Amino acid sequence: DAKTTQPPSMDCAEGRAANLPCNHSTISGNEYVYWYRQIHSQGPQYIIHGLKNNETNEMASLIITEDRKSSTLILPHATLRDTAVYYCIVRVQGGKLIFGQGTELSVKP
Amino acid sequence: EPEVTQTPSHQVTQMGQEVILRCVPISNHLYFYWYRQILGQKVEFLVSFYNNEISEKSEIFDDQFSVERPDGSNFTLKIRSTKLEDSAMYFCASSGERHGELFFGEGSRLTVL
């Protein structure tokens, strides 16, 4: 599975958009980009995934660059409850999820 | 909303004892997983399970570990002879499709003394 690089931590003001970057320059054509988050040692929670098109759901938007070497997870209006570790994972279809260190997002009032 | 449930939420055991962690996956899911997270470290893959057999396992999943689906609902992880370094949070996950998202339980915290 391709390796991902994320900043170790980020801050965001409550109510503002949180933009979490992820580099996956070695991604191959059959690998998807998944985002999960983990709130305070709870079980990881699925957020969104995509292959090459931008995706949006009720939680977030995923923007994938045209060359697929990087992506950005956008939480449009961050709340205090969005404080968590966010994991960007590149996964072969049907393969296992391999978690990295993630980005620790702190949403501040 | 359907969810993955795990029991016990916390178990304390003596080194060398056997431990069984239990998981009830989401009812129509067919793919099952165990992960663990040592305190302060990242979430690590242990094993995946489909059609009553192991699909893939990591180096961590040695002969001391086993998984079983004893009936139509439970999915268990057994550690035969626990070591201090087995102390961790163990997460069960299930998926309805081979390439679908994984739904995780809240975890079972294992403390080995």
Side-chain angles (χ1 to χ4, degrees):
Chain A
D1 293 336
K3 183 180 167 69
T4 62
T5 304
Q6 299 178 254
S9 64
M10 290 182 62
D11 289 341
C12 178
E14 188 179 19
R16 304 297 294 269
N19 296 280
L20 292 95
C22 178
N23 284 317
H24 31 79
S25 57
T26 59
I27 193 169
S28 56
N30 64 343
E31 290 180 315
Y32 287 70
V33 180
Y34 280 77
W35 283 84
Y36 279 75
R37 72 180 182 183
Q38 188 177 27
I39 298 172
H40 196 246
S41 296
Q42 295 177 18
Q45 178 189 22
Y46 167 80
I47 301 173
I48 199 167
H49 75 282
L51 182 62
K52 51 185 175 182
N53 297 322
N54 297 337
E55 301 287 344
T56 295
N57 63 19
E58 66 277 6
M59 288 183 70
S61 295
L62 173 61
I63 308 298
I64 303 174
T65 58
E66 194 168 340
D67 63 8
R68 303 211 319 125
K69 293 185 176 183
S70 65
S71 60
T72 302
L73 179 75
I74 301 172
L75 308 177
H77 305 287
T79 71
L80 299 179
R81 287 177 296 178
D82 292 321
T83 292
V85 179
Y86 287 77
Y87 300 98
C88 170
I89 302 168
V90 172
R91 178 192 187 200
V92 172
Q93 192 178 54
K96 58 186 179 289
L97 289 174
I98 301 295
F99 290 81
Q101 298 293 345
T103 295
E104 189 167 358
L105 176 69
S106 295
V107 180
K108 299 181 184 298
Chain B
E1 185 176 318
E3 59 181 18
V4 175
T5 57
Q6 292 186 240
T7 55
S9 56
H10 188 190
Q11 181 157 354
V12 181
T13 190
Q14 295 291 322
M15 192 169 54
Q17 294 297 303
E18 176 183 282
V19 159
I20 297 176
L21 305 179
R22 291 182 169 80
C23 169
V24 179
I26 295 173
S27 64
N28 59 346
H29 283 187
L30 300 174
Y31 299 87
F32 313 114
Y33 306 82
W34 282 101
Y35 285 77
R36 80 171 186 190
Q37 186 174 32
I38 295 170
L39 186 64
Q41 298 186 21
K42 60 185 182 181
V43 178
E44 300 174 291
F45 169 78
L46 292 179
V47 66
S48 58
F49 190 87
Y50 169 72
N51 200 25
N52 283 321
E53 60 183 28
I54 291 174
S55 308
E56 190 171 0
K57 60 183 181 179
S58 71
E59 293 176 352
I60 303 167
F61 194 88
D62 61 21
D63 292 344
Q64 293 300 313
F65 291 88
S66 63
V67 289
E68 194 177 36
R69 194 147 189 256
D71 54 42
S73 58
N74 289 286
F75 178 52
T76 62
L77 174 70
K78 182 192 291 186
I79 309 174
R80 286 191 186 81
S81 177
T82 50
K83 304 186 284 287
L84 295 177
E85 55 264 38
D86 293 328
S87 294
M89 183 74 92
Y90 288 81
F91 294 108
C92 173
S94 70
S95 177
E97 302 170 349
R98 185 167 178 266
H99 54 271
E101 59 263 35
L102 274 60
F103 293 84
F104 285 80
E106 289 304 304
S108 293
R109 180 172 297 285
L110 176 65
T111 302
V112 182
L113 303 177

